[in-house]
Amino acid sequence: MDSKVSLALIGLSHRTAPLGTRERYVVSQSDLPEVLRALKQVEGIEEVCVISTCNRTEVLVIGRKGTDLPAHVRAQLFRNLPDEQVYAYEDVHALIHLFRVAAGLDSVVIGESEILGQMKRGMEAALAGGTLGSVLKPLMQQALHVGKRVRSETEVGQGTLSVARVGIDMAERVFGRFGSVRVLIAGAGETGVLVARHLKEKGVADLVFTNRTLERAAQAAAEFGGRAFALTELPALTQKSDLLVACIEAEHPTIDVDCFDARSLRRRDRPLLVIDLSVPRAVAPEVAKLDNLILYDLDVLQEVVQKNLAERNEATDSTASILVGELHKFLALRTYASFSPAIAQMRERFEKARDEVLDHVAGAKSSPETVRLAHELTKKQLDIALDSMKQGARHTRSEESLSDEYRRFLENL
Amino acid sequence: MLQPLAVALPVGYIVAALLHGMAFGGTRAPHVTRERVWVLRLTLAAHMLWFWALAETLQSFPVVDIASTVSAVVLVSALMYGLLARSVKHAGSGGVVLGLAALLQLSASAFVNLHPLPRLAAPTAPLGPTQIVHVSLSVVATASLLLSGVHGTLYLVLFRLMKRRNFGPVFEHLPDLDLLARLTRGAALVGFLCLTIGMNLGIYLAHSEQRPGFNYRETEVVLSILTWLYFGVIAFSKRIPGFTARRASMAAAVGLSVLLLSTFLLFFPRLAFHSNL
């Protein structure tokens, strides 16, 4: 970091504060400009950005070296909160924390990607409020880049964690694209509507609802542009469907083997996929034995969710190298940026020396060729000097030492 | 150059197959997307170079005997796979397609005739343009049928995994069932069309040049007609009531097995096609 400024991150999150406290400290999008303005006016604070979600409220500040930034921010925003509910990280640890937040490693659901949008909104609000400057702006941009890299290069963001979505993922493994898939949703309650919404997003065009009360099915069908039928028509409807999603509330399975015509099942080109999201099960387990039919119930989908969760947790180890690499890159850039006054001075001195030599050697008789040569030579020398400075900036903090720092940070979590 | 390349080609295909199959290793498998694309490209380029060098050495069209035909089928199927993977944006079947390609190329490299005076492989007269088209279309057809069979087999594997609720890395990285069914039938259709033209050209050649040794009971001719009929049924199976995607896949998988068995058991020992002509 620049030797004249320091970075601090102060906040509370699901790790330190209960939901009730977090709710009280959420900074809404409409309040954000006011909060940013108030923080910017605090003595010693030069740049500020606020990230606020239902799980965390964090303030990222750049201030003059020597200023007790955490104390100022606490006094301004987190007054009357017990010490253990508010955390404060400074300099490299603040960077590590920010990158981990962007990567979704500090989220309730590891790898969730909503945080990137929330950080982006925080950054845009700070930009609009004029509280982002030459340090925080590139830092926030780099944090967003880290978040995207971690999700694309590791398994952290992979695998769905909602049962309904896992069901749709399963359907995707059968049908690929949903454009030509005929979907039958049995049960037009909350889950049925949620599934319909997901499927609509995926591009399903042919959607049929069936429900005990036809009125409710008709309501859902009207909302999603589908067709509605009574539940009694289910056997006939299954013959014309590729995907049956059951979300029926009943004490005993409503959909049994008799609801399917085994002969027509065997003759259909695509297999029929049946997803049972009901608790207790609405589809009798024997249905799975039918030929050319695949049945997944809640237990199966829940297993997939657990597996995805375990894989995400496992994948967090592989993010360390990305985070440390990006940290190193950012610090090198900051160090190099802090050289800019010296670079400007050096450029000036090089050019002055060149002009003096030109005057001394050739005086007024110097040919355009000599002048061009002198300019080229100076430029080349300056480039070499700047390159050495860049190399130096890169070695100010080695990746190994940052790796150790990262390990220490994790140990203190 | 021919000999080193003949040795290098199976190795190239094996490495490409391993890199493509790495996704099946699960979450711990390294990400090698770029590497697998480059290894495949390099192997294909080396394979084309090998055929060019073979043509130079033999002073004729390089597909002259069983081994070079098998090698050409390998090249075309790997090329077709590369194009398919690019167009459907899915490389899930690469490990199997290229694994099979590696196996076939290994056999081809072992049996290929690299000498200017072939044992009995090269026809006495150089191949004319019509003959080259006949041979090329037969090669493309065989490569298509091979792809159809592989995708059909993968359809059956994925269906079984789904039915048994086995959601491991193989389940996750194979293309979806619908796509596998489309690829099975699509490749069978390409093979069927190429074989239709290729076979007719062959018959035309036999009659126009009045080859005395030609007859319709020749193994190659009988097998070609049977293959043509068989894959024709698979290609148009969607229009046949009751011929489901799974049945078409099963048929394509059986077809692939027969194709491979006939290549290894019937043709390899004979060294050349139409050897009585």
Side-chain angles (χ1 to χ4, degrees):
Chain A
M1 293 294 298
D2 195 330
S3 58
K4 290 174 190 160
V5 293
S6 59
L7 167 75
L9 187 146
I10 304 97
L12 53 85
S13 73
H14 61 95
R15 281 192 296 106
T16 58
L19 182 63
T21 312
R22 297 202 305 269
E23 278 171 350
R24 271 190 288 128
Y25 286 87
V26 167
V27 181
S28 68
Q29 206 65 23
S30 55
D31 291 341
L32 207 48
E34 185 53 43
V35 172
L36 286 168
R37 202 172 312 128
L39 284 164
K40 183 80 191 291
Q41 280 164 5
V42 172
E43 175 68 23
I45 292 183
E46 293 176 1
E47 295 178 42
V48 60
C49 183
V50 173
I51 302 161
S52 187
T53 73
C54 55
N55 285 320
R56 70 181 66 246
T57 297
E58 290 180 344
V59 181
L60 193 61
V61 284
I62 290 288
R64 278 198 301 276
K65 201 108 192 167
T67 314
D68 189 355
L69 294 169
H72 285 316
V73 173
R74 284 193 68 157
Q76 185 72 29
L77 205 64
F78 302 112
R79 248 171 293 160
N80 309 324
L81 270 179
D83 279 354
E84 65 274 11
Q85 289 192 359
V86 182
Y87 48 81
Y89 297 113
E90 292 188 79
D91 299 320
V92 176
H93 280 200
L95 287 174
I96 292 174
H97 179 79
L98 182 71
F99 285 3
R100 281 177 54 82
V101 168
L105 300 177
D106 198 55
S107 299
V108 177
V109 177
I110 289 181
E112 56 90 12
S113 53
E114 281 83 7
I115 187 67
L116 281 176
Q118 288 152 341
M119 286 178 75
K120 206 170 168 199
R121 280 194 288 280
M123 183 179 135
E124 281 162 359
L127 265 174
T131 63
L132 277 197
S134 60
V135 184
L136 275 195
K137 192 179 167 194
L139 174 56
M140 287 301 289
Q141 282 166 340
Q142 182 131 1
L144 293 173
H145 168 71
V146 170
K148 284 179 197 154
R149 248 195 92 186
V150 164
R151 283 175 184 82
S152 65
E153 291 177 28
T154 71
E155 303 282 328
V156 158
Q158 306 291 305
T160 316
L161 300 177
S162 120
V163 174
R165 277 198 185 274
V166 165
I168 289 162
D169 283 354
M170 290 295 183
E172 212 162 11
R173 300 295 296 114
V174 176
F175 308 113
R177 281 170 292 184
F178 284 90
S180 63
V181 178
R182 300 165 300 172
V183 180
L184 169 62
I185 299 181
E190 208 178 307
T191 315
V193 168
L194 176 76
V195 170
R197 192 163 296 132
H198 288 330
L199 285 168
K200 238 359 203 190
E201 282 167 17
K202 291 275 182 186
V204 167
D206 189 352
L207 203 55
V208 173
F209 288 91
T210 168
N211 201 61
R212 269 195 207 94
T213 52
L214 186 60
E215 201 184 3
R216 196 150 183 188
Q219 260 178 8
E223 189 182 340
F224 296 100
R227 289 169 291 145
F229 294 90
L231 195 60
T232 46
E233 292 188 53
L234 192 102
L237 292 170
T238 54
Q239 290 188 35
K240 292 173 196 155
S241 310
D242 300 311
L243 169 64
L244 162 62
V245 186
C247 327
I248 304 170
E249 276 178 38
E251 279 187 27
H252 303 289
T254 324
I255 304 172
D256 56 14
V257 178
D258 296 336
C259 289
F260 303 92
D261 177 9
R263 191 168 171 271
S264 76
L265 264 178
R266 271 198 302 273
R267 294 173 67 82
R268 53 186 300 139
D269 191 50
R270 281 169 164 168
L272 172 64
L273 176 63
V274 181
I275 295 175
D276 185 4
L277 297 174
S278 324
V279 183
R281 282 185 285 204
V283 182
E286 302 81 60
V287 168
K289 289 181 190 151
L290 288 169
D291 192 23
N292 218 10
L293 180 146
I294 301 166
L295 167 66
Y296 295 138
D297 58 25
L298 214 53
D299 278 351
V300 176
L301 302 178
Q302 201 66 51
E303 263 176 48
V304 178
V305 168
Q306 290 306 321
K307 186 176 135 262
N308 289 346
L309 195 62
E311 277 174 7
R312 280 188 182 207
N313 287 329
E314 215 173 277
T316 54
D317 297 341
S318 58
T319 59
S321 62
I322 296 177
L323 259 64
V324 169
E326 291 290 336
L327 207 60
H328 183 245
K329 208 193 290 176
F330 181 77
L331 288 173
L333 281 172
R334 288 310 311 154
T335 311
Y336 185 68
S338 71
F339 293 160
S340 41
I343 291 170
Q345 211 178 4
M346 189 163 72
R347 189 184 299 275
E348 208 175 293
R349 287 179 66 183
F350 266 58
E351 284 168 359
K352 200 175 161 201
R354 177 197 63 206
D355 293 344
E356 277 173 10
V357 170
L358 268 175
D359 274 349
H360 179 71
V361 175
K365 283 183 273 174
S366 44
S367 66
E369 195 54 33
T370 320
V371 173
R372 202 180 59 82
L373 190 73
H375 274 78
E376 280 293 315
L377 197 62
T378 317
K379 193 174 166 291
K380 273 266 184 285
Q381 284 173 327
L382 200 59
D383 284 348
I384 293 167
L386 292 181
D387 199 48
S388 304
M389 286 170 93
K390 259 186 207 164
Q391 294 295 336
R394 223 167 277 155
H395 292 113
T396 317
R397 206 76 212 252
S398 69
E399 279 205 54
E400 288 73 35
S401 76
L402 287 171
S403 250
D404 291 341
E405 201 74 67
Y406 187 66
R407 211 170 302 124
R408 273 196 291 280
F409 178 90
L410 292 183
E411 280 165 10
N412 291 331
L413 271 183
Chain B
M1 182 163 65
L2 275 172
Q3 194 65 50
L5 274 178
V7 176
L9 286 177
V11 177
Y13 282 112
I14 288 171
V15 175
L18 286 175
L19 290 175
H20 276 77
M22 220 158 235
F24 297 123
T27 50
R28 281 162 197 230
H31 290 255
V32 286
T33 317
R34 197 176 297 171
E35 290 84 344
R36 75 173 180 219
V37 169
W38 277 107
V39 168
L40 181 58
R41 279 182 190 170
L42 283 174
T43 308
L44 289 174
H47 206 156
M48 286 183 218
L49 182 70
W50 184 75
F51 268 114
W52 175 79
L54 190 63
E56 287 289 304
T57 309
L58 300 175
Q59 289 297 304
S60 77
F61 187 64
V63 184
V64 287
D65 57 4
I66 305 286
S68 59
T69 307
V70 169
S71 188
V73 169
V74 167
L75 173 64
V76 175
S77 49
L79 261 172
M80 284 172 84
Y81 158 74
L83 294 172
L84 268 180
R86 222 174 135 158
S87 75
V88 301
K89 295 184 177 64
H90 206 299
S93 57
V96 183
V97 173
L98 297 171
L100 190 58
L103 183 76
L104 289 173
Q105 184 55 43
L106 199 65
S107 329
S109 289
F111 288 101
V112 76
N113 181 14
L114 304 172
H115 304 290
L117 292 170
R119 281 165 288 186
L120 60 92
T124 41
L127 294 181
T130 322
Q131 283 170 310
I132 290 175
V133 175
H134 163 69
V135 172
S136 305
L137 281 172
S138 304
V139 165
V140 176
T142 314
S144 306
L145 302 183
L146 192 127
L147 286 179
S148 171
V150 168
H151 287 103
T153 310
L154 292 178
Y155 181 101
L156 297 176
V157 169
L158 184 59
F159 186 86
R160 201 177 168 82
L161 291 174
M162 284 179 164
K163 195 83 178 159
R164 292 187 165 198
R165 301 165 176 190
N166 188 342
F167 308 128
V170 176
F171 165 83
E172 276 172 23
H173 289 96
L174 282 180
D176 57 85
L177 275 184
D178 251 21
L179 180 58
L180 285 171
R182 280 206 309 276
L183 291 174
T184 305
R185 284 173 171 146
L189 182 64
V190 173
F192 174 76
L193 293 176
C194 290
L195 214 52
T196 309
I197 306 169
M199 268 170 41
N200 279 304
L201 270 181
I203 292 165
Y204 162 78
L205 280 169
H207 288 293
S208 67
E209 293 176 13
Q210 299 193 333
R211 303 239 172 172
F214 178 81
N215 71 73
Y216 284 99
R217 275 165 296 170
E218 207 182 323
T219 321
E220 293 91 317
V221 179
V222 172
L223 265 177
S224 298
I225 294 171
L226 287 178
T227 312
W228 176 75
L229 278 171
Y230 191 79
F231 279 92
V233 171
I234 296 171
F236 296 104
S237 59
K238 208 168 178 180
R239 293 170 191 275
I240 305 171
F243 211 129
T244 63
R246 194 150 60 104
R247 285 177 185 149
S249 303
M250 218 178 280
V254 171
L256 172 70
S257 316
V258 173
L259 204 69
L260 290 176
L261 277 176
S262 59
T263 303
F264 284 107
L265 299 180
L266 287 178
F267 294 129
F268 260 123
R270 292 171 46 190
L271 293 176
F273 290 112
H274 304 301
S275 45
N276 52 339
L277 290 183

